[in-house]
Amino acid sequence: MTISKTILGILLMFCISVTSYSTARPDRVFKIYQFPINQIPRIDGQFSDWEKIPDTYTIGLEELNDTRFGNGTNLDPSDYDIDVKVAWVKGLNRLYFYIDAYDDYWDFDHHALGQDIFELVVDGDLSGGTFINQHNGNKNLLSKNELHYKGHGSHAQNYHIFTPVQNKDWAMVWGNTPWIKEFPHYNSASAFDFEHGESGRLQMEFYITPFDHAAFDGFSKSSVSQLKEDDFIGLAWCILDFDGKGKCEAFMNIAHDTKMIYDASYLCAFRLMPLEPEWQKPIAANWSFLEVDRSSRWIQFKDESQGKIEKWHWDFGDNTNSTEQHPKHIYKQGGTWTVTLTVEGPAGKSIRSKVWDVVTQ
């Protein structure tokens, strides 16, 4: 019996074991808030979208540690203070950020890296390991220049985000993929009323697109991280606080290890949270399907309903049905089919039909 490539691929998906991983601060898992799809945050500098997020998602100065200059955990909020919220939207492979920061001396007139920076590192698939050319394990075989193009920033991405930005791009991407900081892979907006050298409050919102593989030669050769509910990603940030004359007086970071800037194994674990209860429907039917083998008209259906489900009823549109949760169905003839799933549970009944999505030949 010959197994088609499609079927073999599906079988392999179920057989591959989950890769183990390590993160910084293994006793701490941070949360990423899920916005409902009808409340996608606007990147407009107004920030009201973030007010609905519970305080339990706020990550403040108390989570940071100065790991370069010896201040440890004795960080002074009158010198620098920050709250960060991270969010996502199911179905959009983007990470949204809100920063609310105070500095007693905002330093942002330098044309290069000598200014206040929010340095963000993301590893969308928890692949871990080094991701910059200086620490590449193949540097004895290839030059740093070659390694820059072959992998610097490919499996994890480092953004030096300028706070605030003036007369330059919003961020420096440390690696071979400057295109990832361009729209539509990112967008940002900020609000502040201070001048260089003054104290004050900065608010900023932005999103980035994480990549399992970001290629030097562009988006078409890259692989976007697929963000899924309850999955974990690697994420960390640090603050470089400059207070004039090119002097960086602090390296405050959430990973509690300076290696976070170049080794994704030293990032923190962040969980992509489900919707908060207030946004969840008590019961809602939904489903998807996969064409396993076109020649035999084999369709695999998957229940994706929300709520406590006790009964399933599938109408495949060809006068056949099933009460399985995830049924396999083989159509006897070609056609365009309206498939309907009805689910029942303690909260009642819900129906979801899809018209002519399923097509057989």
Side-chain angles (χ1 to χ4, degrees):
M1 179 179 177
T2 301
I3 300 177
S4 72
K5 291 182 179 179
T6 303
I7 299 174
L8 182 60
I10 294 170
L11 293 174
L12 288 172
M13 286 171 55
F14 287 100
C15 292
I16 294 174
S17 61
V18 178
T19 303
S20 60
Y21 61 88
S22 62
T23 58
R25 304 181 63 181
D27 58 336
R28 185 76 163 90
V29 174
F30 296 94
K31 299 191 299 182
I32 302 178
Y33 178 84
Q34 184 180 157
F35 278 105
I37 59 174
N38 61 349
Q39 298 180 40
I40 297 174
R42 298 159 296 180
I43 306 300
D44 56 5
Q46 299 300 314
F47 314 115
S48 58
D49 298 319
W50 297 91
E51 295 174 359
K52 64 173 64 70
I53 298 182
D55 291 340
T56 54
Y57 286 85
T58 301
I59 302 170
L61 187 69
E62 69 279 358
E63 291 288 355
L64 306 184
N65 197 332
D66 190 340
T67 54
R68 178 173 292 181
F69 299 105
N71 294 332
T73 57
N74 298 319
L75 303 180
D76 182 2
S78 66
D79 177 26
Y80 189 97
D81 198 8
I82 190 168
D83 284 332
V84 181
K85 296 177 181 178
V86 190
W88 74 300
V89 179
K90 192 173 183 177
L92 284 180
N93 297 313
R94 296 173 176 171
L95 293 172
Y96 290 82
F97 294 82
Y98 170 69
I99 297 172
D100 189 349
Y102 167 83
D103 194 355
D104 67 342
Y105 186 107
W106 285 103
D107 192 339
F108 57 98
D109 71 342
H110 197 270
H111 291 299
L113 292 177
Q115 77 154 89
D116 292 332
I117 291 174
F118 181 82
E119 186 172 356
L120 175 68
V121 184
V122 59
D123 179 16
D125 61 358
L126 277 175
S127 52
T130 58
F131 57 90
I132 69 172
N133 53 23
Q134 294 97 318
H135 295 268
N136 191 301
N138 295 311
K139 62 184 178 182
N140 59 323
L141 300 175
L142 300 171
S143 69
K144 283 173 56 177
N145 213 30
E146 289 179 281
L147 292 171
H148 181 85
Y149 292 97
K150 286 183 176 293
H152 190 140
S154 60
H155 82 269
Q157 294 84 50
N158 179 308
Y159 301 79
H160 283 58
I161 299 167
F162 302 120
T163 56
V165 65
Q166 182 169 288
N167 302 323
K168 54 187 171 185
D169 277 359
W170 74 286
M172 182 275 286
V173 169
W174 192 18
N176 64 6
T177 56
W179 59 267
I180 69 174
K181 65 178 177 180
E182 305 295 336
F183 186 84
H185 313 300
Y186 111 95
N187 198 7
S188 67
S190 60
F192 60 95
D193 59 1
F194 48 78
E195 300 292 336
H196 166 74
E198 295 181 345
S199 63
R201 179 189 186 191
L202 169 72
Q203 291 176 279
M204 183 179 186
E205 60 183 348
F206 63 92
Y207 71 72
I208 61 171
T209 304
F211 290 85
D212 290 349
H213 177 74
F216 172 77
D217 42 2
F219 178 75
S220 64
K221 301 293 182 65
S222 302
S223 177
V224 176
S225 301
Q226 302 299 303
L227 303 182
K228 298 180 181 179
E229 194 170 280
D230 283 325
D231 273 2
F232 294 91
I233 66 170
L235 193 66
W237 55 79
C238 61
I239 291 95
L240 282 68
D241 185 19
F242 285 78
D243 277 5
K245 298 181 180 179
K247 179 183 178 182
C248 180
E249 68 170 18
F251 185 86
M252 300 170 279
N253 75 84
I254 189 174
H256 298 180
D257 198 313
T258 56
K259 293 179 182 178
M260 58 146 284
I261 67 173
Y262 62 82
D263 191 330
S265 298
Y266 291 87
L267 304 182
C268 297
F270 277 72
R271 180 187 173 202
L272 295 157
M273 297 297 291
L275 287 170
E276 289 290 304
E278 63 181 310
W279 308 120
Q280 294 183 20
K281 295 181 179 179
I283 187 169
N286 197 13
W287 55 274
S288 62
F289 73 95
L290 178 67
E291 183 185 65
V292 178
D293 184 65
R294 181 168 297 179
S295 62
S296 65
R297 307 187 188 93
W298 174 2
I299 306 295
Q300 178 67 49
F301 292 92
K302 181 182 179 183
D303 169 50
E304 296 182 348
S305 303
Q306 296 180 15
K308 185 177 181 181
I309 311 299
E310 296 175 341
K311 294 181 180 180
W312 297 263
H313 184 273
W314 295 82
D315 182 340
F316 299 120
D318 62 349
N319 296 317
T320 65
N321 55 66
S322 173
T323 58
E324 296 180 18
Q325 183 179 6
H326 307 295
K328 174 190 80 172
H329 185 61
I330 296 177
Y331 287 88
K332 295 183 178 179
Q333 62 188 45
T336 53
W337 310 103
T338 296
V339 179
T340 304
L341 170 63
T342 302
V343 295
E344 295 184 54
K349 178 188 293 187
S350 180
I351 301 171
R352 174 64 63 89
S353 67
K354 297 186 180 183
V355 181
W356 295 359
D357 280 19
V358 178
V359 179
T360 57
Q361 66 178 19

